[in-house]
Amino acid sequence: MAAVDVARGRFPAAVERIEQTMAALADQDRLSWVFPGRIYLAQSYSALGDSKAAAGVLAAARSCSGPAVEVFRHMLEIAQAWQYASEGMVSAASTHARTTATAAAASGQFAIEAEALHAVARFGTPDEEVPVRLAELAAQIDGDLVGLYARHARAVVESDAGALDGCAAEFERIGALLSAADSAAAAATLHDSVGERTALAASAKTTTRLSAQCGGLHTPAVVESANPLPLTVREREVANLVAAGLTNREIADRLVVSVRTVEGHVLRACTKLGVGDRAALAAFLTGDS
């Protein structure tokens, strides 16, 4: 039932179901089905913006890894990508999802590969290969969902706001509310970038309504549409980590870049947002300024 809740974007309900079940089975931590339960719980926390809780659940899942649950490995890594995204580490999330898609394809888990590629598209960073591969997978996998994933990825690659609005409506029709909200949010961002105020208002309204139905989403697409900033993906990523209280060294270690690179991103973000230093940048992003 929690798996269905996650698929439909009912994250508070999924969290409640899984937490209650885990509590009831606290002395049976290594049951193989508890492993995917933790994956769904981490995804739910991440979608709601609780990256710390998601990280804790993923750590607990990894501590119980073994041959009995190896079949769930790629699902776990998709959940890890979600957790990175909830921390504002969008490029790391995208890279992790891409790597997971490749691994899932190699092991013949094509539906999981499709989920990983859809995550890449939802993070806003697909290239031409993503919609092409999703279209190939849609021909192999039953149902309408993967074909819709391919249409969504194509719309993201081509910056087609109208197509994204259409995907949002179709995702909502089939009950995939998280994907619907992210598609509407991406459309809103594109409408805003070209000054289409009427279309922006409609897409933003859809995003808000769907986000509320999901329990209050905190995904990269929803956050960007609500807080449009003149920053690159990496600058936004670094700025988010500054706002979270990390030092430049900690950010460098987290993103696997040099401290000098981080300093450059912080400087450019401050310049673009018209703030004087790291503290002011953090205050700007958290609303304390």
Side-chain angles (χ1 to χ4, degrees), residues 262-272 275-276 281:
V262 172
E263 291 171 347
H265 287 310
V266 171
L267 177 60
R268 284 187 289 275
C270 288
T271 300
K272 289 181 178 181
V275 297
L281 176 61

mmCIF file of all heavy atoms in Angstrom, residues 262-272 275-276 281:
data_model
loop_
_atom_site.group_PDB
_atom_site.id
_atom_site.type_symbol
_atom_site.label_atom_id
_atom_site.label_comp_id
_atom_site.label_asym_id
_atom_site.label_seq_id
_atom_site.Cartn_x
_atom_site.Cartn_y
_atom_site.Cartn_z
ATOM 1 N N VAL A 262 34.557 26.164 -5.557
ATOM 2 C CA VAL A 262 33.420 26.554 -4.719
ATOM 3 C C VAL A 262 33.437 28.054 -4.469
ATOM 4 O O VAL A 262 32.396 28.732 -4.578
ATOM 5 C CB VAL A 262 33.439 25.793 -3.380
ATOM 6 C CG1 VAL A 262 32.361 26.339 -2.435
ATOM 7 C CG2 VAL A 262 33.224 24.307 -3.612
ATOM 8 N N GLU A 263 34.607 28.590 -4.143
ATOM 9 C CA GLU A 263 34.715 30.031 -3.903
ATOM 10 C C GLU A 263 34.249 30.831 -5.119
ATOM 11 O O GLU A 263 33.583 31.859 -4.990
ATOM 12 C CB GLU A 263 36.159 30.381 -3.549
ATOM 13 C CG GLU A 263 36.600 29.847 -2.193
ATOM 14 C CD GLU A 263 38.089 30.025 -1.963
ATOM 15 O OE1 GLU A 263 38.806 30.327 -2.946
ATOM 16 O OE2 GLU A 263 38.543 29.846 -0.815
ATOM 17 N N GLY A 264 34.616 30.352 -6.321
ATOM 18 C CA GLY A 264 34.199 31.033 -7.536
ATOM 19 C C GLY A 264 32.690 31.020 -7.707
ATOM 20 O O GLY A 264 32.081 32.040 -8.070
ATOM 21 N N HIS A 265 32.059 29.880 -7.418
ATOM 22 C CA HIS A 265 30.596 29.791 -7.527
ATOM 23 C C HIS A 265 29.915 30.696 -6.504
ATOM 24 O O HIS A 265 28.907 31.343 -6.806
ATOM 25 C CB HIS A 265 30.146 28.349 -7.335
ATOM 26 C CG HIS A 265 30.446 27.459 -8.495
ATOM 27 N ND1 HIS A 265 30.114 27.773 -9.792
ATOM 28 C CD2 HIS A 265 31.062 26.245 -8.547
ATOM 29 C CE1 HIS A 265 30.502 26.792 -10.597
ATOM 30 N NE2 HIS A 265 31.079 25.857 -9.869
ATOM 31 N N VAL A 266 30.459 30.734 -5.295
ATOM 32 C CA VAL A 266 29.879 31.601 -4.254
ATOM 33 C C VAL A 266 29.971 33.061 -4.685
ATOM 34 O O VAL A 266 29.003 33.825 -4.566
ATOM 35 C CB VAL A 266 30.596 31.390 -2.904
ATOM 36 C CG1 VAL A 266 30.147 32.445 -1.896
ATOM 37 C CG2 VAL A 266 30.309 29.989 -2.360
ATOM 38 N N LEU A 267 31.132 33.449 -5.214
ATOM 39 C CA LEU A 267 31.323 34.838 -5.652
ATOM 40 C C LEU A 267 30.341 35.204 -6.760
ATOM 41 O O LEU A 267 29.708 36.264 -6.723
ATOM 42 C CB LEU A 267 32.760 35.033 -6.127
ATOM 43 C CG LEU A 267 33.101 36.427 -6.689
ATOM 44 C CD1 LEU A 267 32.875 37.499 -5.630
ATOM 45 C CD2 LEU A 267 34.543 36.453 -7.187
ATOM 46 N N ARG A 268 30.186 34.317 -7.740
ATOM 47 C CA ARG A 268 29.272 34.611 -8.850
ATOM 48 C C ARG A 268 27.820 34.657 -8.378
ATOM 49 O O ARG A 268 27.044 35.509 -8.837
ATOM 50 C CB ARG A 268 29.458 33.578 -9.964
ATOM 51 C CG ARG A 268 30.721 33.798 -10.793
ATOM 52 C CD ARG A 268 30.790 32.883 -11.991
ATOM 53 N NE ARG A 268 31.055 31.505 -11.592
ATOM 54 C CZ ARG A 268 32.266 31.009 -11.371
ATOM 55 N NH1 ARG A 268 33.329 31.790 -11.502
ATOM 56 N NH2 ARG A 268 32.427 29.757 -11.019
ATOM 57 N N ALA A 269 27.463 33.765 -7.465
ATOM 58 C CA ALA A 269 26.093 33.774 -6.940
ATOM 59 C C ALA A 269 25.821 35.072 -6.179
ATOM 60 O O ALA A 269 24.757 35.690 -6.325
ATOM 61 C CB ALA A 269 25.868 32.570 -6.037
ATOM 62 N N CYS A 270 26.794 35.509 -5.383
ATOM 63 C CA CYS A 270 26.635 36.763 -4.644
ATOM 64 C C CYS A 270 26.488 37.950 -5.600
ATOM 65 O O CYS A 270 25.641 38.833 -5.388
ATOM 66 C CB CYS A 270 27.834 36.979 -3.719
ATOM 67 S SG CYS A 270 27.889 35.890 -2.276
ATOM 68 N N THR A 271 27.295 37.946 -6.651
ATOM 69 C CA THR A 271 27.247 39.043 -7.621
ATOM 70 C C THR A 271 25.890 39.084 -8.323
ATOM 71 O O THR A 271 25.267 40.150 -8.453
ATOM 72 C CB THR A 271 28.370 38.881 -8.656
ATOM 73 O OG1 THR A 271 29.637 38.907 -7.985
ATOM 74 C CG2 THR A 271 28.323 39.999 -9.693
ATOM 75 N N LYS A 272 25.412 37.940 -8.772
ATOM 76 C CA LYS A 272 24.144 37.883 -9.500
ATOM 77 C C LYS A 272 22.954 38.269 -8.619
ATOM 78 O O LYS A 272 21.979 38.858 -9.100
ATOM 79 C CB LYS A 272 23.931 36.484 -10.065
ATOM 80 C CG LYS A 272 24.851 36.132 -11.228
ATOM 81 C CD LYS A 272 24.570 34.731 -11.750
ATOM 82 C CE LYS A 272 25.462 34.393 -12.934
ATOM 83 N NZ LYS A 272 25.187 33.034 -13.470
ATOM 84 N N VAL A 275 24.260 40.434 -3.316
ATOM 85 C CA VAL A 275 24.551 40.349 -1.879
ATOM 86 C C VAL A 275 26.063 40.371 -1.686
ATOM 87 O O VAL A 275 26.826 40.068 -2.608
ATOM 88 C CB VAL A 275 23.947 39.072 -1.257
ATOM 89 C CG1 VAL A 275 22.423 39.106 -1.366
ATOM 90 C CG2 VAL A 275 24.491 37.813 -1.921
ATOM 91 N N GLY A 276 26.489 40.726 -0.461
ATOM 92 C CA GLY A 276 27.889 41.021 -0.254
ATOM 93 C C GLY A 276 28.788 39.866 0.119
ATOM 94 O O GLY A 276 29.979 39.899 -0.189
ATOM 95 N N LEU A 281 24.312 35.768 1.422
ATOM 96 C CA LEU A 281 23.768 34.813 0.450
ATOM 97 C C LEU A 281 22.853 33.810 1.152
ATOM 98 O O LEU A 281 21.731 33.535 0.685
ATOM 99 C CB LEU A 281 24.914 34.086 -0.254
ATOM 100 C CG LEU A 281 24.542 32.973 -1.241
ATOM 101 C CD1 LEU A 281 23.708 33.541 -2.390
ATOM 102 C CD2 LEU A 281 25.792 32.292 -1.765
#
